[in-house]
Amino acid sequence: TLNGSAIEQGIVDKVMCFVAPKIIGGYGAPTPVGGRGKRLMKHAVELEEITTEKFDNDILIEGYIK
């Protein structure tokens, strides 16, 4: 919920997110951004100036909040 609150408050400039080729799934699965979230895709927080880098099987995605 801390990440979600920080984004909602507008105090985040840059996002760095690792994606691993592993699936946990399920209703209780952890999420990197908790809180209320967005109900519609058109309200999603968008990133720009996106870069990616691979570390073994993991992928780092970096971008700035639009």
Side-chain angles (χ1 to χ4, degrees):
T1 56
L2 178 61
N3 291 337
S5 294
I7 290 171
E8 284 181 11
Q9 294 297 317
I11 61 172
V12 176
D13 294 325
K14 183 177 183 178
V15 174
M16 299 174 72
C17 175
F18 276 94
V19 179
K22 298 174 182 161
I23 298 172
I24 297 171
Y27 291 111
T31 175
V33 181
R36 292 186 302 236
K38 307 294 182 189
R39 296 191 78 202
L40 301 173
M41 190 59 73
K42 67 181 181 180
H43 296 139
V45 175
E46 294 185 60
L47 301 180
E48 58 188 5
E49 299 180 43
I50 298 166
T51 60
T52 60
E53 189 172 346
K54 191 170 180 191
F55 294 88
D56 292 323
N57 289 327
D58 299 336
I59 300 168
L60 170 62
I61 302 169
E62 294 182 75
Y64 292 87
I65 300 242
K66 200 170 189 178

